[in-house]
Amino acid sequence: MSASLITAVELSVKPDRIEAAAEAWKAHHAASSFTGRALFRSLEGSKLLELAPVAGWEEFPALREDWAQLWDTVGPLAEGDFRRQVLGFVDAPKPIDTPLPLTPYVQMRHIEVPPGVHTAYRAWREETIYDVVRTSDEVEAFVAYHSVVSTEPGVMFVSGFSCDPAEYNAVFTSPRYQEIVRQAGDRYIAGGERGLFTEIYARVS
């Protein structure tokens, strides 16, 4: 089943060093005592994303040491600093039997919802977003998390798929889903440019 707690670590990399950064990050994984982590490369920019299941808060002292090593090995290839989040499991309209999706692609779908409307939002998404996800074969995994520690608080959906990204995107650009997005914007999404964003990543094998 999905991990109850995960970390998401993203790094913008110099465009001409993306391959070198991915290789360095994979080498870091191979040398680390932490297992089960997955590395992805953005299809929309020169960025790498690591998703990692965490057994519990007692792992974080060792994880901080691991991140310090990552800073030394991959950091020199970066354009900015590491962006880290700790995310807690909420529910899964398309559940998985593994801690993280094993699909070739994942999409991170972020929505910032003010606390005052969060209960109403949860009920609304069951009838709208989740209904689309459950009836779409293109979506193989869809797990909802909420920020525990993050500079971008809110809901984070981790969606896994294997089909062509254009075929997957068609699910979320249909007229029905565009109406769902409009409703969310009117009722539930906090203001600001980061109130709603999505990004697709390909697994680094």
Side-chain angles (χ1 to χ4, degrees):
M1 61 180 296
S2 299
S4 59
L5 203 65
I6 67 171
T7 58
V9 179
E10 187 179 64
L11 184 68
S12 293
V13 178
K14 298 172 184 177
D16 62 338
R17 306 306 303 278
I18 185 74
E19 297 296 342
E23 289 299 322
W25 207 317
K26 287 194 297 180
H28 172 78
H29 282 182
S32 173
S33 61
F34 288 97
T35 60
R37 298 186 288 191
L39 184 64
F40 300 88
R41 177 176 175 175
S42 173
L43 299 186
E44 304 166 35
S46 182
K47 287 182 282 188
L48 294 172
L49 169 73
E50 178 196 82
L51 298 179
V54 181
W57 290 102
E58 65 277 6
E59 287 195 357
F60 276 84
L63 193 57
R64 286 189 65 191
E65 294 182 13
D66 187 88
W67 285 342
Q69 295 168 13
L70 190 64
W71 173 285
D72 291 335
T73 56
V74 181
L77 304 172
E79 285 194 320
D81 203 345
F82 292 87
R83 301 175 67 89
R84 299 186 179 99
Q85 301 184 68
V86 180
L87 304 170
F89 176 84
V90 178
D91 57 23
K94 276 281 180 80
I96 54 178
D97 296 327
T98 52
L100 297 172
L102 300 179
T103 49
Y105 300 98
V106 296
Q107 183 183 49
M108 306 293 281
R109 306 181 63 86
H110 172 269
I111 304 174
E112 183 177 347
V113 180
V117 296
H118 200 267
T119 299
Y121 163 75
R122 288 282 302 273
W124 170 84
R125 79 183 185 189
E126 275 287 343
E127 300 177 355
T128 54
I129 297 172
Y130 285 7
D131 185 56
V132 170
V133 167
R134 291 185 178 114
T135 57
S136 298
D137 293 338
E138 296 85 352
V139 183
E140 298 174 48
F142 201 87
V143 184
Y145 289 89
H146 198 273
S147 59
V148 179
V149 179
S150 176
T151 56
E152 292 180 330
V155 176
M156 182 69 83
F157 298 117
V158 181
S159 180
F161 65 99
S162 301
C163 62
D164 184 273
E167 184 179 353
Y168 169 85
N169 275 329
V171 173
F172 299 100
T173 55
S174 67
R176 180 190 179 191
Y177 202 84
Q178 290 305 300
E179 172 59 20
I180 290 172
V181 171
R182 186 195 65 76
Q183 291 178 18
D186 290 345
R187 305 176 190 175
Y188 304 116
I189 298 176
E193 62 179 12
R194 300 292 285 184
L196 170 66
F197 65 87
T198 67
E199 190 153 0
I200 291 177
Y201 302 82
R203 184 180 298 272
V204 176
S205 60

